[in-house]
Amino acid sequence: MASFISRHPLVTFFILAYAISWGSYFLLSGPVLFPFGSILAAVIVALATEGVGGLKGLLSRCLRWRVAPTCYLVALSAPVAIACGALYLNAAVGGPLPPRFNGMWWEGLLLLPMAIVDAPLWEDSGWRGFAMPRFPVNRSRFLNTLILGILLAGWHLPLALAAGVRVAIPYFTTTILSAFVTNWIYYGSGQSALLAIIYHGAANAMGIAFFQSYSGTDQIWLFWCLAAMNFIAMVLIVVTDRKRWLRKEEML
């Protein structure tokens, strides 16, 4: 077992992340501990393969805050643009008009830290703090990101299916496509998992503020519109920086 972990740390990480999250979901009949599968798997594999040094490296990537101020601006504004685009696109194809935020102004300020702690902090510490730096450099960013997106969609399977198959399909699609936007933030900030966490948290905060009032068919169409906006963002990212996204990492 120790030999397998040392030779295949990335595979071991994903096996553990799935096992811990799925196991907790079915044992506890809910997602209470689901987000912790990623970070727990990262800590276990980092310690098993590199000892304390591996844990320090993981922590360093998760706390990499010394990046250009524009990275913070993009990490906070991109999810707002994507979410608003989805809301108005949904209205344009016959859905309801975007709802207003009914909370107090200070409640809006609390949404971001609440959303970050709720899931992105634990999830992206594993996905970007541990996994992404270990993806093969003889593959392109596009292919590595696509593989990660598919694995993330699969990891979310119990949560997605709980909402029904009709919601799960656009949810899976959005998860895969949003991996490209999150990795765009991650790579653009010098592989800072912290910026990926902030981006993910801002996206979830928009969902909490505006998406929860949708249900039934309206919710399904909204998820498809969100998938469409993430697809547009993915195309723009790849087309405007083809060299970095389509060439092998080792050649950059």
Side-chain angles (χ1 to χ4, degrees), residues 4-200:
F4 178 86
I5 294 174
S6 63
R7 287 184 290 111
H8 305 287
L10 192 57
V11 173
T12 305
F13 163 77
F14 281 108
I15 291 174
L16 283 176
Y18 270 68
I20 295 170
S21 293
W22 285 29
S24 69
Y25 183 86
F26 292 112
L27 287 173
L28 301 176
S29 301
V32 178
L33 299 179
F34 195 93
F36 296 95
S38 174
I39 183 60
L40 289 175
V43 170
I44 291 170
V45 179
L47 282 172
T49 55
E50 302 174 53
V52 176
L55 199 58
K56 289 181 178 179
L58 172 64
L59 186 62
S60 174
R61 287 185 290 273
C62 293
L63 297 178
R64 190 171 293 168
W65 62 273
R66 292 184 177 179
V67 299
T70 52
C71 292
Y72 287 96
L73 178 62
V74 172
L76 291 170
S77 60
V80 174
I82 290 173
C84 288
L87 289 166
Y88 283 98
L89 178 60
N90 185 57
V93 296
L97 291 174
R100 292 184 177 184
F101 179 63
N102 294 321
M104 301 294 290
W105 67 268
W106 52 267
E107 291 179 296
L109 296 178
L110 292 176
L111 281 180
L112 179 59
M114 288 172 57
I116 286 176
V117 174
D118 181 56
L121 177 61
W122 319 112
E123 294 180 19
D124 287 296
S125 293
W127 308 136
R128 271 84 189 185
F130 180 86
M132 279 312 305
R134 289 168 173 80
F135 268 68
V137 295
N138 60 350
R139 291 200 299 246
S140 66
R141 284 184 183 179
F142 183 92
L143 186 53
N144 278 337
T145 301
L146 178 61
I147 293 171
L148 177 67
I150 293 171
L151 289 169
L152 289 180
W155 180 75
H156 283 90
L157 183 63
L159 302 180
L161 290 179
V165 176
R166 294 180 66 198
V167 175
I169 295 174
Y171 183 90
F172 286 148
T173 306
T174 300
T175 301
I176 294 170
L177 294 171
S178 66
F180 286 88
V181 188
T182 311
N183 271 10
W184 175 59
I185 301 291
Y186 166 78
Y187 285 121
S189 59
Q191 299 188 14
S192 168
L194 176 62
L195 269 292
I197 291 168
I198 291 174
Y199 170 82
H200 190 174

